[in-house]
Amino acid sequence: MAERTPPTADLAAFAQGLAARLPGSWTTVDREHAAYADQFPLAERIWDYGHVQWAFEHFVLSRSAVLTSDTGCELVVVDRPRRTREFLVAALQPSDGDVADRVKAPDGIVVDADPARAASAVTDRLLPRYERAVREARIEQVAVAVAAGERVLAEWDAISDSLCDADHWPLDERYDLRQQQRDAEMWAVFAPFLDHGPALVAHAVKTSAVLNPEDRVDGRWAYRLRVLREALNGGTRVQADFKFVTGALLPDHPRAEAAFARAVVERNAEGWHYVLTWMESGGVLVEMARAEQALRRRTDRSQQSAQAQAARAQSPHAASLRAAPTTVTTTAAPPGLLPHDHGRRSR
């Protein structure tokens, strides 16, 4: 039986004060949970494997607030169980796709009821972890999308020849129908990156300057990133034209459905070049992300080693060794060699 957590400090006012102090523009939505089941939708999206998940599993959280930024980041604020002047702040998983298990969750934090101090903690500790986790989740989605695109292309290559004659001319309308199916499948894989692909490319461009020269593969990364940006720009134009055309359709018109279907086919066909370009070069984002992770691990190990050396230098044992007087004994000389003969023997 989940334990009920009684409300203490004003959570709604705290969430509004927190949102006003976070970088960027944020909106808040408050929710009351009349029953334990009311918090399940939030619990399914909590991106935490620590204190916040424990609170959602073992307590009835009677209220919550969701903060959403202008960039799409989402945070949730709930009461901290058994504390009267503390809250829990955690990130929500992106709602536009599954998050791979290998992506490390940006576990939530405990904050004081003071919005100014809480905003400082969220900005310094939670948001950087959240942004990194979102980026890693997007990179995993790129890898999945590229693999899916390769499967679609392989299936098309396997049957396209059978739909053509010896001179590679289509035999009948089955060729066009199968091509439309291919275009639709490829566009569906590509479309999500029209929203978050530009941020991935921008981050890759930014981090390329700090990667080792050998990791930049003789400048080919810069070229492929430029190609990806052009593919996103082209796909965005195609999607904008599609929305313009379909937005002009009258829903009740008898030909509206057929016109919409025709617009979809045209959108997919016009976007084919950009989709194919994205699939062919999207792997560079995965390569650069792996290189960045390797660099971060090396940096973390170096910092940990420096911290360990500093700690050992400041330890009482090290201090006692530095303070101990150095004594010279004559017993260290090998048999048959007097201490004053060391200099002559060494020549």
Side-chain angles (χ1 to χ4, degrees):
M1 183 67 180
E3 179 181 341
R4 179 172 293 275
T5 300
T8 51
D10 190 339
L11 186 144
F14 168 80
Q16 293 175 0
L18 174 63
R21 292 169 172 81
L22 292 177
S25 177
W26 295 74
T27 59
T28 63
V29 176
D30 306 324
R31 292 183 175 89
E32 296 291 335
H33 305 160
Y36 183 47
D38 293 343
Q39 66 195 46
F40 289 174
L42 275 180
E44 293 176 353
R45 292 189 59 203
I46 285 292
W47 211 354
D48 179 281
Y49 295 116
H51 203 105
V52 183
Q53 184 186 51
W54 167 80
F56 269 86
E57 290 179 350
H58 295 89
F59 293 86
V60 179
L61 305 172
S62 59
R63 58 190 184 174
S64 65
V66 175
L67 284 64
T68 306
S69 75
D70 52 353
T71 60
C73 296
E74 290 183 289
L75 304 177
V76 62
V77 180
V78 295
D79 295 295
R80 185 185 183 189
R82 301 169 181 167
R83 297 292 189 275
T84 59
R85 294 288 301 172
E86 293 179 343
F87 295 103
L88 300 176
V89 183
L92 296 180
Q93 290 188 15
S95 58
D96 56 357
D98 296 332
V99 176
D101 293 338
R102 71 182 68 183
V103 177
K104 184 178 180 180
D107 293 335
I109 61 175
V110 178
V111 297
D112 187 79
D114 177 22
R117 295 175 59 184
S120 177
V122 170
T123 302
D124 295 340
R125 297 166 51 199
L126 179 56
L127 287 183
R129 296 203 302 261
Y130 183 32
E131 293 171 357
R132 179 184 298 179
V134 169
R135 189 163 53 250
E136 291 178 356
R138 303 295 193 205
I139 291 296
E140 294 294 334
Q141 291 172 9
V142 170
V144 172
V146 169
E150 290 175 349
R151 288 194 297 271
V152 173
L153 294 176
E155 292 174 0
W156 168 252
D157 292 339
I159 69 170
S160 60
D161 289 343
S162 65
L163 302 176
C164 298
D165 60 19
D167 296 325
H168 302 288
W169 286 97
L171 294 171
D172 51 38
E173 64 179 5
R174 290 178 301 166
Y175 183 91
D176 290 339
L177 293 175
R178 185 61 185 85
Q179 189 178 49
Q180 291 175 14
Q181 180 182 353
R182 177 206 67 182
D183 294 349
E185 292 174 352
M186 292 289 281
W187 181 268
V189 174
F190 171 66
F193 299 103
L194 296 178
D195 293 327
H196 57 256
L200 293 178
V201 174
H203 178 78
V205 171
K206 179 180 178 181
T207 57
S208 63
V210 301
L211 297 178
N212 293 331
E214 59 270 19
D215 292 332
R216 292 199 288 269
V217 195
D218 299 329
R220 287 189 287 116
W221 281 359
Y223 168 76
R224 293 170 70 186
L225 291 175
R226 185 166 61 252
V227 167
L228 287 178
R229 186 185 292 110
E230 294 172 355
L232 292 173
N233 292 338
T236 300
R237 289 194 300 270
V238 171
Q239 180 68 358
D241 292 342
F242 168 76
K243 289 184 176 181
F244 177 80
V245 171
T246 56
L249 297 177
L250 299 176
D252 298 331
H253 194 279
R255 295 193 180 93
E257 185 175 350
F260 182 86
R262 185 167 58 254
V264 170
V265 172
E266 293 175 354
R267 188 269 316 275
N268 297 344
E270 292 176 4
W272 166 251
H273 167 71
Y274 305 115
V275 174
L276 186 61
T277 300
W278 175 266
M279 295 305 168
E280 289 177 341
S281 297
V284 69
L285 297 175
V286 180
E287 294 174 16
M288 295 185 68
R290 299 294 180 262
E292 182 185 359
Q293 291 173 356
L295 177 60
R296 188 184 306 121
R297 286 193 294 268
R298 291 195 298 268
T299 303
D300 292 343
R301 286 196 296 267
S302 177
Q303 292 176 347
Q304 292 172 359
S305 177
Q307 292 173 356
Q309 291 177 3
R312 285 194 295 268
Q314 296 175 1
S315 67
H317 177 67
S320 64
L321 290 178
R322 290 193 298 268
T326 302
T327 59
V328 178
T329 63
T330 61
T331 58
L337 183 64
L338 296 178
H340 57 75
D341 286 336
H342 277 289
R344 292 193 297 271
R345 183 66 176 268
S346 62
R347 286 199 291 269

